[in-house]
Amino acid sequence: MLDPLLKSLERRGYYVQAFADDIVMVFDGATALEVQRQASVALERVRVWGVENKLKFAPHKTNAMVITRKLKFDTPHLRMGGIDIGMSKEIKLLGVTIDDKLTYNTHVANICRKAIGIYKQLARAAKVSWGLHPEVVRTIYVAVVEPIVLYGASVWGSAAEKIGVQKQLNTIQRGFAQKMCRAYRTVSLNSALVLAGVLPLDLRIHEAASLYRIKRGAAVPGLCDREIERLTPAMEAPHPAQTSQLELTCLKDRDDVDANSSCAVKIFTDGSKIDGKVGAALSVWEGDAETKTVKLYLSSYCTVYQAELLAICVATRKIKKHTANTFAIYSDSMAALQTVTNLGALHPLATETRENISSISQQNKALSLFWIKAHVGLEGNERADHLAKEAAIASAKRKPDYDLCPVSFAKQILRMESLRKWGERYGSGDTAKITKMFLPNVVNAYKIVRKFEPTSQSTQLLTGHGGISEYLHRFKCKLSPGCICDPNVSETVPHIILECPAFCKERYNIENKIDRRLIAENIPDIMIGNLRQEFLDYCLKLMYIVIDRNKT
């Protein structure tokens, strides 16, 4: 019902935006008087429209806010139907608190307060040696806390570059990261984030804001002038009354295929990716003979999913031009076929495919879609697979038939940039010295930590915070930091695993097993190698002995 009002305001040059019955109007001018004049005329127009349509707006529920960098300015005096409209320093729109200086400090404080409230409840049930499993904590963090923080990041994300905001975000994240890796509260944020395998929140906010802009046509860093693959606008989709449900039939074995092969033309499609090269292909059969083949070439950053969709789309283009009356498309990609048959899926290739199928139907041609299991010995299917692999191998030598960059690749580029920034921050930090001895590189650490389950003992090993003499003495839980081998030598993690004479036998055995000398310089290479688990087992064995001894 509000649509005519919105359009009439837009025709008069006003910026207006609405969500359900919430309307936002923006006016700009060099002086407060100019803004007041524009706003008064627009508000009067809104009031008159409401009277004409038997609707009454509520001026006492309407707020106005002046956004300016001027230190001194006159405040516009706004009225609607003789009632003053109150001025405000902050306005909350769709969950984002916008302040008059666009600092978003209030919004950040609100989301931090909400996230800390969740952490306080979680902390009661997740302790170092008992309670919630780290993966449960991770699920709560990823599914609940991050969405709370990242909501509206495209609006307020620039605020995350401020040191004060980063400190608030770090306060939230440190507690959750410590719980994810079963670390003591004294473990630094640097160590906890690396061992938990989660990005700093300010970098995640920057990622979310950048991805939002990329999805709406912004340039992708690292892809030069490549265009991002954008979903078809919902307003351009056909009206539901003009669409019909598409049928998809699954053929599980050769008998099913034989029972559904009575059409005049059969088209087998497939997509393939080999050594970073992507291709797709069609194999057209009439009767028992192959009559035509088509090879399609895609850019190296495209996915197999895009290749499968492209092959199906090109198949429908061929059918539109063919003179036969009955057709069948066979594909071994269930994901691609389901995207095509799902009328709500707005992938551009799927949208074009459905438009082609509609045109085919209007030509009084019959088209059936079939899913067949890959590599079941069906000649047409195997032929399409072979052609797709040939197209992939040769794709680097030809201009691609499809080169839109998938969103997944844009996400990968953004993630690598985030890891680079995190690595610089991690390497230049003054904390996490023990963690850096094992995991000096953030990118490698990001891959490694998810391959083994964190325990209290493993975290104590990788942080140096736990039941060893040097740490216990620091917090006055032990009289001396000395090791059992020599009271004048501090019992630290490097000393225990690399130097302590009490463990010479174990050290000799592991050095023979991994064929490497145990010195600090070799540990990073051991951690990224195939013998990482054997090395960690050796370290944890020593930590168990030391922790158990220091309990007394």
Side-chain angles (χ1 to χ4, degrees), residues 181 195 452-463 540 544:
C181 60
L195 297 181
F452 60 87
E453 182 179 330
T455 63
S456 173
Q457 290 75 19
S458 67
T459 302
Q460 290 179 54
L461 166 71
L462 297 173
T463 61
L540 288 173
Y544 277 114

Side-chain angles (χ1 to χ4, degrees), residues 251-261:
L251 308 179
K252 299 179 181 179
D253 51 36
R254 188 59 181 264
D255 292 338
D256 288 344
V257 174
D258 293 339
N260 292 274
S261 58

Side-chain angles (χ1 to χ4, degrees), residues 205-258:
I205 290 167
H206 182 265
E207 263 190 15
S210 298
L211 185 62
Y212 178 88
R213 291 191 290 270
I214 286 172
K215 285 181 176 180
R216 279 150 185 79
V220 182
L223 278 185
C224 300
D225 58 345
R226 300 299 185 190
E227 185 181 353
I228 196 73
E229 185 179 70
R230 300 172 66 183
L231 297 179
T232 304
M235 295 300 291
E236 294 181 11
H239 192 278
Q242 298 174 349
T243 60
S244 58
Q245 193 65 38
L246 300 177
E247 296 290 336
L248 171 60
T249 305
C250 296
L251 308 179
K252 299 179 181 179
D253 51 36
R254 188 59 181 264
D255 292 338
D256 288 344
V257 174
D258 293 339

Side-chain angles (χ1 to χ4, degrees), residues 384-399:
D385 179 66
H386 177 72
L387 292 170
K389 290 177 179 177
E390 285 185 350
I393 293 171
S395 60
K397 303 175 183 177
R398 277 194 46 173
K399 182 181 178 181

Side-chain angles (χ1 to χ4, degrees), residues 22 103 130 189 212 228 242 282 312 369 481 505:
D22 255 344
T103 63
W130 60 270
L189 176 66
Y212 178 88
I228 196 73
Q242 298 174 349
L282 285 72
I312 296 172
L369 299 176
K505 181 180 178 182

Side-chain angles (χ1 to χ4, degrees), residues 315-501:
T316 58
R317 293 176 194 168
K318 300 294 182 186
I319 292 172
K320 283 174 63 177
K321 300 176 182 179
H322 205 284
T323 57
N325 292 322
T326 57
F327 301 85
I329 295 177
Y330 299 86
S331 173
D332 59 8
S333 173
M334 179 64 79
L337 288 169
Q338 287 180 337
T339 303
V340 170
T341 56
N342 178 13
L343 301 181
L346 298 176
H347 192 286
L349 289 173
T351 304
E352 183 185 345
T353 301
R354 286 194 292 269
E355 290 175 355
N356 292 340
I357 292 174
S358 178
S359 299
I360 291 167
S361 178
Q362 292 172 8
Q363 295 173 359
N364 294 321
K365 298 177 183 178
L367 170 61
S368 302
L369 299 176
F370 296 103
W371 173 82
I372 51 176
K373 190 175 181 179
H375 306 298
V376 291
L378 192 62
E379 189 175 3
N381 189 31
E382 295 294 341
R383 177 66 174 152
D385 179 66
H386 177 72
L387 292 170
K389 290 177 179 177
E390 285 185 350
I393 293 171
S395 60
K397 303 175 183 177
R398 277 194 46 173
K399 182 181 178 181
D401 295 293
Y402 191 83
D403 62 353
L404 293 183
C405 175
V407 174
S408 59
F409 190 73
K411 287 181 180 178
Q412 182 182 343
I413 291 178
L414 291 175
R415 178 54 52 89
M416 293 307 298
E417 178 63 15
S418 297
L419 289 173
R420 185 190 65 78
K421 292 179 179 178
W422 184 19
E424 292 177 356
R425 187 182 304 179
Y426 174 69
S428 61
D430 297 329
T431 57
K433 291 182 179 179
I434 301 297
T435 307
K436 289 175 185 176
M437 183 181 76
F438 290 92
L439 303 167
N441 184 281
V442 162
V443 176
N444 291 336
Y446 194 68
K447 299 175 183 177
I448 290 171
V449 293
R450 299 304 297 272
K451 294 181 180 178
F452 60 87
E453 182 179 330
T455 63
S456 173
Q457 290 75 19
S458 67
T459 302
Q460 290 179 54
L461 166 71
L462 297 173
T463 61
H465 288 235
I468 56 179
S469 297
E470 187 269 340
Y471 179 82
L472 295 172
H473 175 72
R474 197 195 316 172
F475 292 96
K476 297 181 173 56
C477 296
K478 195 173 182 182
L479 295 176
S480 169
C483 179
I484 191 174
C485 69
D486 186 348
N488 297 319
V489 178
S490 293
E491 186 181 71
T492 61
V493 170
H495 173 75
I496 293 168
I497 65 174
L498 302 177
E499 302 167 357
C500 185

Side-chain angles (χ1 to χ4, degrees), residues 448 451 510 513-516 522-537:
I448 290 171
K451 294 181 180 178
I510 190 63
K513 190 170 185 178
I514 65 175
D515 196 24
R516 297 293 291 271
N522 288 339
I523 290 179
D525 292 335
I526 296 172
M527 288 295 291
I528 62 176
N530 297 328
L531 298 171
R532 175 179 59 248
Q533 193 56 51
E534 287 78 358
F535 171 68
L536 288 176
D537 290 342

